[in-house]
Amino acid sequence: MRNKFNEIKNDVFYRQIFKLVLPIIIQNLLSAAVSSADVVMLNYVGQSSISAVSLASQYASVLFMVFYGLGTGATMLCAQYYGKGDMRAIQIVEGIAMRFSILISMLFAGLAVIMPENMMRLFTNDAELIAIGASYLRYMSISYLCWGIIEVYLAVLRSIGRVVICTALNVAAFSLNIFLNAVFIFGLFGAPRLGAKGVAIATSLSRLIELALCFAVSFMSKDIKLDFRYLFIRNKALFSDFVRLSLPALGNDISWSVAFSMYSVIIGHLGTDAVAANSFVIVVRNFGTILCFGMASAGGILIGNIIGENKLEEARTGAKKLMKLTVITGAVGGLIILAIMPFVLKYAALSEQAMHYLKYMLLINTYYVMGAAVNTTLIAGVFRAGGDSRFGFICDTIDMWCYAVPLGFLAAFALKLPVMWVYFLLCTDEFVKWPWVLKRYRSGVWLKNITRDDLFEETERAD
């Protein structure tokens, strides 16, 4: 056992992966802390506020996956070009990704301002939840506009190994968010007591400040800057590569996140007790997946760098090591959920029925995180590092839209099964696709160097 530990300690890949993963874990931990703080604080406001914010936050979840898709799509190219030493290509990819993120964030922000009631009606027909959620969405619109710019810039920084800077920015923003949540939810320091609306105001203010900090970091950076002039740089070859490689990743994450939001649609029509219980479950599950999702992100960056150096066999070996770590972190994630359970069940101020749902939903998630860990590491980490984004798009779309979502609607509204049976069936989605995902991994077809040598022969700068 000691020899095995020393082997891991002395292995260059393991040292590099842990150097990358620790800041990402801290970042993800703080993100989960913000979500949990929202729920804990709203717990003292009322069950309706918790439920309304949980449902309205599904739009932020979808938007996060959009930005995550654009970010990981940009990372596919940036990580490999960084391994190759081509910083100019990275700047152009940043500009391309930023164009898409700004357009999408403007769309979401516009909808949140103009028709928030209609957005809430998709999830619930409860008038009180619609009113609370609509107010929340209007104030969240500002954060959507900032978020698109922030996520792309941070994704590019992470792809070149600047994860510590990214973590420092997130620490500042998330800490401020938690503080402002308390101020505006409870009306501290003379501020108005705004309840659920205060959560949105706190989030928008913290995003504005995080964006300002990104510009400050950019000003001090010598290579990768947050420069809107990148938006106007044209390169046909890179744009073609971005569309070919990144848009399937974006489509994958949008398809998955919208389908996952449909779970909330299903649960939202099963009663406020089920919604309130699921609100706590989402927070706890986020803590359980922090380690494994961080490993997937770090692994994708590192393997992408190695492939960019054209060390394909070394990348294949690294992927095998990453898989071993993923299985371990998936098991640890389940144990984390199990350890948090007693505290959640003791302090959650929910109805008796909601507490019953909460207990068994948490137990289901102790094994669910293993399925999510393996699939996320392979689809969003290993495969995308090698430019293989199309498989994940096809696999997740079929799994979610042809299996999980129809099964959920059938179980809930046609067969009218009990709430816990519906929830259990929804949580089989990750395991159904395991055979195809593992087969793809073993085939090695994902392992490709996607960089170009003659990249700037056709570069044109817009007037």
Side-chain angles (χ1 to χ4, degrees):
M1 185 68 180
R2 181 179 293 274
N3 289 336
K4 186 68 175 177
F5 175 78
N6 288 333
E7 180 184 336
I8 291 175
K9 182 180 178 181
N10 296 323
D11 190 289
V12 174
F13 180 86
Y14 287 122
R15 289 206 307 271
Q16 290 177 320
I17 199 77
F18 286 121
K19 184 179 178 180
L20 284 172
V21 80
L22 287 176
I24 294 175
I25 288 173
I26 293 171
Q27 177 184 327
N28 292 344
L29 180 63
L30 287 167
S31 179
V34 172
S35 298
S36 62
D38 291 348
V39 173
V40 169
M41 293 178 193
L42 289 173
N43 186 46
Y44 293 96
V45 178
Q47 184 169 305
S48 294
S49 292
I50 294 174
S51 300
V53 170
S54 175
L55 293 175
S57 294
Q58 294 305 310
Y59 288 102
S61 298
V62 172
L63 196 55
F64 170 77
M65 295 309 298
V66 171
F67 295 146
Y68 181 78
L70 286 172
T72 54
T75 298
M76 280 192 289
L77 290 163
C78 291
Q80 288 205 19
Y81 276 112
Y82 183 68
K84 192 175 183 177
D86 192 339
M87 302 303 290
R88 189 181 177 192
I90 294 173
Q91 293 172 348
I92 296 173
V93 171
E94 179 188 335
I96 294 169
M98 200 77 75
R99 287 177 223 157
F100 285 99
S101 69
I102 291 174
L103 287 173
I104 293 169
S105 60
M106 288 176 65
L107 173 63
F108 269 74
L111 291 173
V113 171
I114 297 169
M115 48 189 299
E117 290 85 3
N118 291 336
M119 293 171 73
M120 285 300 299
R121 286 192 185 96
L122 180 62
F123 293 106
T124 182
N125 52 12
D126 187 296
E128 183 183 8
L129 298 187
I130 290 172
I132 296 172
S135 176
Y136 171 89
L137 285 170
R138 281 197 180 92
Y139 285 96
M140 279 293 289
S141 61
I142 298 172
S143 74
Y144 297 159
L145 293 171
C146 301
W147 201 6
I149 300 170
I150 293 168
E151 285 301 314
V152 169
Y153 182 59
L154 295 187
V156 173
L157 286 180
R158 280 191 291 268
S159 73
I160 63 173
R162 308 285 173 79
V163 290
V164 175
I165 294 174
C166 297
T167 301
L169 289 171
N170 286 141
V171 166
F174 292 151
S175 301
L176 180 63
N177 197 348
I178 293 174
F179 172 74
L180 291 176
N181 274 344
V183 170
F184 290 115
I185 290 174
F186 300 120
L188 304 179
F189 308 111
R193 188 184 180 96
L194 299 174
K197 189 190 302 182
V199 175
I201 294 173
T203 302
S204 292
L205 285 174
S206 62
R207 288 289 180 195
L208 281 168
I209 293 171
E210 185 177 13
L211 180 58
L213 291 174
C214 285
F215 278 111
V217 168
S218 170
F219 180 77
M220 294 182 287
S221 176
K222 294 180 179 179
D223 39 43
I224 300 303
K225 295 181 176 294
L226 180 52
D227 192 336
F228 290 129
R229 287 177 295 181
Y230 296 165
L231 291 167
F232 305 105
I233 300 177
R234 299 288 186 264
N235 185 284
K236 292 180 180 179
L238 267 180
F239 186 82
S240 174
D241 287 345
F242 186 87
V243 171
R244 178 173 57 87
L245 299 170
S246 300
L247 291 192
L250 173 60
N252 183 182
D253 292 330
I254 291 175
S255 176
W256 184 89
S257 61
V258 173
F260 203 76
S261 292
M262 295 304 291
Y263 293 6
S264 294
V265 173
I266 294 168
I267 294 171
H269 287 82
L270 295 178
T272 57
D273 287 329
V275 173
N278 191 48
S279 302
F280 279 89
V281 171
I282 291 171
V283 172
V284 177
R285 183 172 60 220
N286 286 343
F287 279 103
T289 56
I290 283 171
L291 184 59
C292 47
F293 285 7
M295 195 66 69
S297 297
I301 292 168
L302 181 55
I303 292 171
N305 292 160
I306 295 170
I307 295 173
E309 296 173 14
N310 213 32
K311 300 176 181 178
L312 301 187
E313 282 306 311
E314 186 177 326
R316 190 191 301 273
T317 302
K320 291 179 181 178
K321 294 174 181 177
L322 183 62
M323 273 299 295
K324 293 177 183 177
L325 290 173
T326 298
V327 172
I328 295 171
T329 56
V332 170
L335 292 174
I336 289 172
I337 293 175
L338 202 60
I340 295 175
M341 266 187 67
F343 299 97
V344 176
L345 295 175
K346 181 178 180 180
Y347 294 108
L350 302 179
S351 67
E352 183 179 348
Q353 186 64 58
M355 291 296 289
H356 172 76
Y357 293 153
L358 177 59
K359 176 182 177 180
Y360 289 99
M361 285 179 176
L362 288 171
L363 286 173
I364 289 171
N365 276 275
T366 58
Y367 72 81
Y368 183 73
V369 292
M370 177 62 78
V374 172
N375 289 325
T376 301
T377 296
L378 290 178
I379 292 175
V382 173
F383 295 169
R384 291 185 186 180
D388 184 12
S389 55
R390 186 168 174 268
F391 171 80
F393 175 50
I394 295 171
C395 181
D396 277 336
T397 300
I398 293 173
D399 175 56
M400 299 296 279
W401 290 103
C402 297
Y403 169 75
V405 172
L407 179 64
F409 275 101
L410 177 67
F413 305 121
L415 301 178
K416 299 188 183 301
L417 296 180
V419 170
M420 288 316 307
W421 274 106
V422 174
Y423 189 81
F424 169 77
L425 291 172
L426 289 173
C427 289
T428 60
D429 64 314
E430 293 288 354
F431 299 97
V432 167
K433 59 188 176 187
W434 261 19
W436 289 273
V437 173
L438 293 173
K439 182 180 178 181
R440 184 76 169 186
Y441 163 69
R442 294 191 185 102
S443 72
V445 297
W446 52 270
L447 187 57
K448 296 175 184 176
N449 187 327
I450 56 176
T451 62
R452 295 175 182 260
D453 293 321
D454 55 347
L455 191 57
F456 298 107
E457 290 181 4
E458 300 180 13
T459 301
E460 296 176 357
R461 196 175 285 272
D463 293 335

